[in-house]
Amino acid sequence: QLQLQESGPGLVKPPETLSLTCTVSGGSIRRTSYYWGWIRQPPGKGLEWIGNIYYSGTTYYNPSLKSRVTISLDMSKNQFSLKLSSVTATDTAVYYCARMLPGSYYFDSWGPGTLVTVSS
Amino acid sequence: QSALTQPASVSGSPGQSITISCTGTSSDVGSFNLVSWHQQHPGKAPKVIIYEVSKRPSGVSDRFSGSKSGNTASLTISGLQAEDEADYYCWSYAGRSTVVFGGGTKVTVL
């Protein structure tokens, strides 16, 4: 059974770069044609799609965040990562990693989420 | 890329049916039959309950159903149960491998 787990610092100072990693177990990100994505949810608010990376390495980003976001794959570790630069308090959120099915465009497997607080 | 519009809250009594709307544009909901609905309980990750407008993943109750007309998609929960109290999010494919979410609807079982 596929499992995803987010990891990274829980506190980031503005205007530093937020860095998170998603470790995938129960399946290889190398061998399957899925999208791997990041979604966030500010406390008490709704979900926001950040971006996806295809198993080939092609990336797709939310236009509102595109200038600050980088998503990458590490096939050797079966992980993918998120970097969000120049963070402010508005980037405080629970960050989820998830797997998306191509063609259907919905996330079928999610990590439990990790809270990242941006504060000096 | 604007968020899809959902009502902030919907409520109903046990056994009743409720419907949540999700309004987008001709660039997202109206152009693709790729609307999904996620259920989220407090402190938990979202879980997909409807995909491709009206399909249910294995294990999801048939009390949940989805439909679409023009730029508006809908989720109907029939035979409302206490366990259905949660937040519900719609989202849609928006072209060029991007997706857009709705703002979420809090469902309260009275």
Short mmCIF file of all heavy atoms in Angstrom, two decimals, chain A residues 30-74:
data_model
loop_
_atom_site.label_atom_id
_atom_site.label_comp_id
_atom_site.label_asym_id
_atom_site.label_seq_id
_atom_site.Cartn_x
_atom_site.Cartn_y
_atom_site.Cartn_z
N ARG A 30 9.83 6.07 -9.63
CA ARG A 30 10.58 5.98 -10.90
C ARG A 30 9.79 5.21 -11.95
O ARG A 30 9.85 5.52 -13.13
CB ARG A 30 11.91 5.27 -10.65
CG ARG A 30 12.75 5.02 -11.88
CD ARG A 30 13.81 3.96 -11.61
NE ARG A 30 14.65 4.31 -10.47
CZ ARG A 30 15.75 5.04 -10.57
NH1 ARG A 30 16.14 5.51 -11.73
NH2 ARG A 30 16.47 5.30 -9.49
N ARG A 31 9.08 4.18 -11.53
CA ARG A 31 8.52 3.21 -12.47
C ARG A 31 7.08 3.46 -12.88
O ARG A 31 6.53 2.73 -13.66
CB ARG A 31 8.64 1.82 -11.89
CG ARG A 31 10.06 1.37 -11.68
CD ARG A 31 10.14 0.02 -11.01
NE ARG A 31 11.53 -0.36 -10.76
CZ ARG A 31 11.89 -1.34 -9.97
NH1 ARG A 31 10.97 -2.05 -9.33
NH2 ARG A 31 13.16 -1.62 -9.80
N THR A 32 6.47 4.46 -12.29
CA THR A 32 5.05 4.65 -12.58
C THR A 32 4.77 6.05 -13.11
O THR A 32 5.38 7.00 -12.68
CB THR A 32 4.20 4.40 -11.33
OG1 THR A 32 4.73 5.18 -10.26
CG2 THR A 32 4.24 2.93 -10.96
N SER A 33 3.84 6.19 -14.01
CA SER A 33 3.55 7.47 -14.65
C SER A 33 2.51 8.26 -13.88
O SER A 33 1.38 8.40 -14.32
CB SER A 33 3.10 7.25 -16.09
OG SER A 33 1.97 6.41 -16.10
N TYR A 34 2.90 8.73 -12.72
CA TYR A 34 2.00 9.53 -11.91
C TYR A 34 2.55 10.95 -11.79
O TYR A 34 3.71 11.23 -12.06
CB TYR A 34 1.90 8.96 -10.49
CG TYR A 34 1.17 7.64 -10.40
CD1 TYR A 34 1.86 6.45 -10.17
CD2 TYR A 34 -0.21 7.58 -10.51
CE1 TYR A 34 1.19 5.25 -10.07
CE2 TYR A 34 -0.89 6.38 -10.40
CZ TYR A 34 -0.19 5.21 -10.18
OH TYR A 34 -0.85 4.03 -10.07
N TYR A 35 1.67 11.86 -11.35
CA TYR A 35 2.10 13.17 -10.90
C TYR A 35 2.30 13.08 -9.39
O TYR A 35 1.55 12.41 -8.69
CB TYR A 35 1.04 14.23 -11.19
CG TYR A 35 0.81 14.54 -12.64
CD1 TYR A 35 -0.30 14.03 -13.32
CD2 TYR A 35 1.67 15.39 -13.34
CE1 TYR A 35 -0.54 14.34 -14.63
CE2 TYR A 35 1.43 15.70 -14.68
CZ TYR A 35 0.33 15.17 -15.31
OH TYR A 35 0.09 15.47 -16.63
N TRP A 36 3.28 13.80 -8.90
CA TRP A 36 3.53 13.91 -7.45
C TRP A 36 3.41 15.39 -7.09
O TRP A 36 4.06 16.23 -7.70
CB TRP A 36 4.92 13.36 -7.10
CG TRP A 36 5.07 11.94 -7.57
CD1 TRP A 36 5.59 11.52 -8.76
CD2 TRP A 36 4.61 10.77 -6.88
NE1 TRP A 36 5.50 10.15 -8.84
CE2 TRP A 36 4.92 9.65 -7.72
CE3 TRP A 36 4.00 10.55 -5.66
CZ2 TRP A 36 4.62 8.34 -7.35
CZ3 TRP A 36 3.70 9.24 -5.30
CH2 TRP A 36 4.01 8.15 -6.13
N GLY A 37 2.55 15.68 -6.11
CA GLY A 37 2.22 17.08 -5.90
C GLY A 37 2.27 17.55 -4.46
O GLY A 37 2.41 16.77 -3.52
N TRP A 38 2.18 18.87 -4.33
CA TRP A 38 2.14 19.54 -3.04
C TRP A 38 0.88 20.42 -2.97
O TRP A 38 0.54 21.11 -3.93
CB TRP A 38 3.38 20.40 -2.83
CG TRP A 38 4.64 19.61 -2.63
CD1 TRP A 38 5.55 19.26 -3.59
CD2 TRP A 38 5.11 19.05 -1.41
NE1 TRP A 38 6.56 18.52 -3.03
CE2 TRP A 38 6.33 18.37 -1.68
CE3 TRP A 38 4.65 19.06 -0.08
CZ2 TRP A 38 7.06 17.72 -0.70
CZ3 TRP A 38 5.39 18.42 0.89
CH2 TRP A 38 6.57 17.75 0.58
N ILE A 39 0.23 20.36 -1.82
CA ILE A 39 -0.96 21.15 -1.54
C ILE A 39 -0.77 21.73 -0.14
O ILE A 39 -0.15 21.09 0.72
CB ILE A 39 -2.23 20.26 -1.54
CG1 ILE A 39 -2.36 19.50 -2.85
CG2 ILE A 39 -3.49 21.09 -1.25
CD1 ILE A 39 -1.85 18.06 -2.79
N ARG A 40 -1.29 22.93 0.10
CA ARG A 40 -1.17 23.49 1.44
C ARG A 40 -2.52 24.00 1.93
O ARG A 40 -3.44 24.23 1.14
CB ARG A 40 -0.13 24.61 1.47
CG ARG A 40 -0.53 25.88 0.75
CD ARG A 40 0.59 26.91 0.86
NE ARG A 40 0.24 28.18 0.23
CZ ARG A 40 1.01 29.25 0.22
NH1 ARG A 40 2.22 29.21 0.81
NH2 ARG A 40 0.61 30.36 -0.38
N GLN A 41 -2.59 24.18 3.26
CA GLN A 41 -3.83 24.62 3.89
C GLN A 41 -3.50 25.51 5.07
O GLN A 41 -3.10 25.01 6.13
CB GLN A 41 -4.66 23.41 4.34
CG GLN A 41 -6.01 23.75 4.91
CD GLN A 41 -6.86 22.52 5.15
OE1 GLN A 41 -6.37 21.46 5.49
NE2 GLN A 41 -8.17 22.65 4.94
N PRO A 42 -3.66 26.82 4.93
CA PRO A 42 -3.44 27.72 6.08
C PRO A 42 -4.40 27.37 7.21
O PRO A 42 -5.51 26.87 6.95
CB PRO A 42 -3.74 29.10 5.50
CG PRO A 42 -3.55 28.95 4.03
CD PRO A 42 -3.99 27.56 3.72
N PRO A 43 -4.02 27.62 8.44
CA PRO A 43 -4.87 27.27 9.59
C PRO A 43 -6.28 27.83 9.45
O PRO A 43 -6.46 29.04 9.23
CB PRO A 43 -4.13 27.90 10.77
CG PRO A 43 -2.71 27.94 10.34
CD PRO A 43 -2.73 28.20 8.87
N GLY A 44 -7.27 26.96 9.53
CA GLY A 44 -8.66 27.37 9.45
C GLY A 44 -9.15 27.78 8.08
O GLY A 44 -10.28 28.28 7.94
N LYS A 45 -8.32 27.55 7.05
CA LYS A 45 -8.70 27.97 5.70
C LYS A 45 -8.74 26.78 4.74
O LYS A 45 -8.57 25.63 5.14
CB LYS A 45 -7.73 29.05 5.21
CG LYS A 45 -7.79 30.33 6.04
CD LYS A 45 -6.94 31.42 5.42
CE LYS A 45 -7.04 32.70 6.25
NZ LYS A 45 -6.23 33.80 5.66
N GLY A 46 -8.98 27.08 3.48
CA GLY A 46 -9.14 26.04 2.47
C GLY A 46 -7.83 25.56 1.87
O GLY A 46 -6.75 26.03 2.20
N LEU A 47 -7.97 24.59 0.97
CA LEU A 47 -6.83 23.98 0.32
C LEU A 47 -6.34 24.84 -0.84
O LEU A 47 -7.12 25.52 -1.50
CB LEU A 47 -7.21 22.59 -0.22
CG LEU A 47 -7.68 21.57 0.81
CD1 LEU A 47 -8.33 20.37 0.11
CD2 LEU A 47 -6.53 21.12 1.69
N GLU A 48 -5.04 24.78 -1.10
CA GLU A 48 -4.44 25.49 -2.23
C GLU A 48 -3.44 24.55 -2.90
O GLU A 48 -2.52 24.05 -2.25
CB GLU A 48 -3.76 26.77 -1.80
CG GLU A 48 -3.11 27.54 -2.95
CD GLU A 48 -2.45 28.83 -2.52
OE1 GLU A 48 -1.91 28.88 -1.39
OE2 GLU A 48 -2.43 29.79 -3.32
N TRP A 49 -3.62 24.34 -4.20
CA TRP A 49 -2.68 23.54 -4.95
C TRP A 49 -1.42 24.34 -5.20
O TRP A 49 -1.49 25.48 -5.68
CB TRP A 49 -3.31 23.10 -6.28
CG TRP A 49 -2.39 22.37 -7.19
CD1 TRP A 49 -1.86 21.13 -7.02
CD2 TRP A 49 -1.89 22.85 -8.44
NE1 TRP A 49 -1.06 20.80 -8.09
CE2 TRP A 49 -1.07 21.82 -8.98
CE3 TRP A 49 -2.06 24.02 -9.19
CZ2 TRP A 49 -0.43 21.95 -10.21
CZ3 TRP A 49 -1.42 24.15 -10.41
CH2 TRP A 49 -0.61 23.12 -10.91
N ILE A 50 -0.24 23.75 -4.89
CA ILE A 50 1.03 24.43 -5.09
C ILE A 50 1.65 24.04 -6.42
O ILE A 50 2.09 24.89 -7.20
CB ILE A 50 2.02 24.09 -3.95
CG1 ILE A 50 1.45 24.54 -2.60
CG2 ILE A 50 3.38 24.73 -4.21
CD1 ILE A 50 2.26 24.06 -1.40
N GLY A 51 1.68 22.74 -6.70
CA GLY A 51 2.26 22.30 -7.95
C GLY A 51 2.46 20.80 -7.99
O GLY A 51 2.30 20.11 -6.99
N ASN A 52 2.79 20.30 -9.18
CA ASN A 52 3.03 18.88 -9.41
C ASN A 52 4.33 18.67 -10.15
O ASN A 52 4.80 19.57 -10.88
CB ASN A 52 1.92 18.28 -10.30
CG ASN A 52 0.58 18.18 -9.62
OD1 ASN A 52 0.47 18.34 -8.41
ND2 ASN A 52 -0.45 17.93 -10.41
N ILE A 53 4.86 17.48 -10.04
CA ILE A 53 5.97 17.05 -10.88
C ILE A 53 5.62 15.69 -11.45
O ILE A 53 5.13 14.81 -10.75
CB ILE A 53 7.31 17.03 -10.10
CG1 ILE A 53 8.47 16.74 -11.06
CG2 ILE A 53 7.27 16.06 -8.92
CD1 ILE A 53 9.84 17.06 -10.46
N TYR A 54 5.80 15.55 -12.75
CA TYR A 54 5.54 14.29 -13.41
C TYR A 54 6.74 13.38 -13.20
O TYR A 54 7.85 13.85 -12.94
CB TYR A 54 5.29 14.53 -14.89
CG TYR A 54 4.61 13.42 -15.64
CD1 TYR A 54 3.53 12.73 -15.11
CD2 TYR A 54 5.04 13.04 -16.92
CE1 TYR A 54 2.89 11.73 -15.80
CE2 TYR A 54 4.42 12.03 -17.62
CZ TYR A 54 3.34 11.37 -17.06
OH TYR A 54 2.71 10.37 -17.76
N TYR A 55 6.55 12.08 -13.31
CA TYR A 55 7.64 11.15 -13.05
C TYR A 55 8.83 11.41 -14.00
O TYR A 55 9.97 11.07 -13.70
CB TYR A 55 7.16 9.71 -13.18
CG TYR A 55 7.08 9.17 -14.59
CD1 TYR A 55 7.94 8.18 -15.01
CD2 TYR A 55 6.14 9.67 -15.48
CE1 TYR A 55 7.86 7.67 -16.29
CE2 TYR A 55 6.05 9.18 -16.76
CZ TYR A 55 6.92 8.18 -17.18
OH TYR A 55 6.85 7.70 -18.45
N SER A 56 8.54 12.06 -15.13
CA SER A 56 9.61 12.38 -16.09
C SER A 56 10.44 13.59 -15.64
O SER A 56 11.49 13.87 -16.21
CB SER A 56 8.99 12.69 -17.45
OG SER A 56 8.16 13.83 -17.35
N GLY A 57 9.92 14.31 -14.64
CA GLY A 57 10.61 15.50 -14.15
C GLY A 57 9.98 16.82 -14.58
O GLY A 57 10.37 17.89 -14.11
N THR A 58 9.00 16.77 -15.46
CA THR A 58 8.30 17.99 -15.88
C THR A 58 7.47 18.53 -14.73
O THR A 58 6.79 17.77 -14.05
CB THR A 58 7.39 17.71 -17.08
OG1 THR A 58 8.16 17.12 -18.13
CG2 THR A 58 6.76 18.99 -17.58
N THR A 59 7.54 19.85 -14.54
CA THR A 59 6.84 20.47 -13.42
C THR A 59 5.70 21.38 -13.88
O THR A 59 5.72 21.92 -15.00
CB THR A 59 7.81 21.31 -12.57
OG1 THR A 59 8.53 22.21 -13.42
CG2 THR A 59 8.80 20.41 -11.83
N TYR A 60 4.71 21.51 -13.01
CA TYR A 60 3.54 22.34 -13.25
C TYR A 60 3.24 23.07 -11.95
O TYR A 60 3.12 22.43 -10.90
CB TYR A 60 2.33 21.49 -13.66
CG TYR A 60 2.63 20.55 -14.80
CD1 TYR A 60 3.12 19.27 -14.56
CD2 TYR A 60 2.45 20.95 -16.12
CE1 TYR A 60 3.41 18.41 -15.61
CE2 TYR A 60 2.73 20.10 -17.17
CZ TYR A 60 3.22 18.83 -16.91
OH TYR A 60 3.51 17.98 -17.95
N TYR A 61 3.13 24.39 -12.01
CA TYR A 61 2.96 25.17 -10.80
C TYR A 61 1.70 26.04 -10.84
O TYR A 61 1.25 26.47 -11.89
CB TYR A 61 4.18 26.09 -10.59
CG TYR A 61 5.51 25.37 -10.44
CD1 TYR A 61 6.63 25.80 -11.12
CD2 TYR A 61 5.63 24.27 -9.60
CE1 TYR A 61 7.85 25.15 -10.98
CE2 TYR A 61 6.83 23.61 -9.46
CZ TYR A 61 7.95 24.06 -10.15
OH TYR A 61 9.16 23.41 -10.01
N ASN A 62 1.17 26.31 -9.63
CA ASN A 62 0.10 27.29 -9.49
C ASN A 62 0.65 28.65 -9.95
O ASN A 62 1.67 29.09 -9.43
CB ASN A 62 -0.34 27.35 -8.03
CG ASN A 62 -1.53 28.25 -7.79
OD1 ASN A 62 -1.70 29.27 -8.46
ND2 ASN A 62 -2.34 27.90 -6.83
N PRO A 63 -0.01 29.30 -10.89
CA PRO A 63 0.52 30.58 -11.38
C PRO A 63 0.76 31.61 -10.28
O PRO A 63 1.70 32.42 -10.40
CB PRO A 63 -0.58 31.05 -12.35
CG PRO A 63 -1.22 29.79 -12.83
CD PRO A 63 -1.21 28.88 -11.63
N SER A 64 -0.04 31.56 -9.22
CA SER A 64 0.12 32.55 -8.16
C SER A 64 1.37 32.33 -7.31
O SER A 64 1.79 33.22 -6.58
CB SER A 64 -1.12 32.54 -7.26
OG SER A 64 -1.20 31.34 -6.53
N LEU A 65 1.96 31.14 -7.41
CA LEU A 65 3.14 30.82 -6.60
C LEU A 65 4.37 30.52 -7.47
O LEU A 65 5.47 30.34 -6.94
CB LEU A 65 2.86 29.60 -5.71
CG LEU A 65 1.76 29.77 -4.67
CD1 LEU A 65 1.42 28.41 -4.05
CD2 LEU A 65 2.19 30.75 -3.58
N LYS A 66 4.16 30.48 -8.76
CA LYS A 66 5.17 29.97 -9.68
C LYS A 66 6.55 30.61 -9.52
O LYS A 66 7.58 29.93 -9.62
CB LYS A 66 4.68 30.16 -11.12
CG LYS A 66 5.59 29.55 -12.17
CD LYS A 66 4.98 29.68 -13.57
CE LYS A 66 5.87 29.02 -14.61
NZ LYS A 66 5.27 29.10 -15.97
N SER A 67 6.59 31.92 -9.25
CA SER A 67 7.87 32.62 -9.16
C SER A 67 8.69 32.21 -7.94
O SER A 67 9.90 32.46 -7.88
CB SER A 67 7.63 34.13 -9.14
OG SER A 67 6.91 34.49 -7.98
N ARG A 68 8.05 31.54 -6.97
CA ARG A 68 8.76 31.20 -5.72
C ARG A 68 8.91 29.70 -5.49
O ARG A 68 9.54 29.29 -4.53
CB ARG A 68 8.02 31.80 -4.53
CG ARG A 68 7.90 33.32 -4.53
CD ARG A 68 7.48 33.83 -3.17
NE ARG A 68 6.11 33.50 -2.83
CZ ARG A 68 5.74 32.97 -1.67
NH1 ARG A 68 6.64 32.68 -0.75
NH2 ARG A 68 4.45 32.72 -1.43
N VAL A 69 8.32 28.88 -6.37
CA VAL A 69 8.24 27.44 -6.11
C VAL A 69 9.18 26.64 -7.00
O VAL A 69 9.32 26.92 -8.19
CB VAL A 69 6.80 26.94 -6.33
CG1 VAL A 69 6.73 25.41 -6.23
CG2 VAL A 69 5.85 27.57 -5.34
N THR A 70 9.81 25.62 -6.39
CA THR A 70 10.56 24.61 -7.13
C THR A 70 10.22 23.25 -6.56
O THR A 70 10.32 23.03 -5.36
CB THR A 70 12.07 24.82 -7.03
OG1 THR A 70 12.41 26.13 -7.50
CG2 THR A 70 12.82 23.78 -7.86
N ILE A 71 9.78 22.33 -7.43
CA ILE A 71 9.52 20.95 -7.04
C ILE A 71 10.49 20.06 -7.81
O ILE A 71 10.67 20.24 -9.02
CB ILE A 71 8.06 20.54 -7.31
CG1 ILE A 71 7.10 21.41 -6.49
CG2 ILE A 71 7.84 19.06 -6.98
CD1 ILE A 71 5.62 21.15 -6.77
N SER A 72 11.08 19.11 -7.11
CA SER A 72 12.07 18.24 -7.76
C SER A 72 11.91 16.81 -7.27
O SER A 72 11.28 16.55 -6.24
CB SER A 72 13.48 18.74 -7.45
OG SER A 72 13.71 18.77 -6.06
N LEU A 73 12.49 15.88 -8.04
CA LEU A 73 12.45 14.45 -7.72
C LEU A 73 13.84 13.97 -7.32
O LEU A 73 14.84 14.44 -7.87
CB LEU A 73 12.01 13.64 -8.94
CG LEU A 73 10.57 13.70 -9.43
CD1 LEU A 73 10.44 12.95 -10.74
CD2 LEU A 73 9.63 13.12 -8.40
N ASP A 74 13.90 13.01 -6.40
CA ASP A 74 15.14 12.29 -6.10
C ASP A 74 14.81 10.81 -6.22
O ASP A 74 14.37 10.17 -5.26
CB ASP A 74 15.65 12.63 -4.70
CG ASP A 74 17.02 12.03 -4.42
OD1 ASP A 74 17.36 11.00 -5.07
OD2 ASP A 74 17.75 12.57 -3.58
#
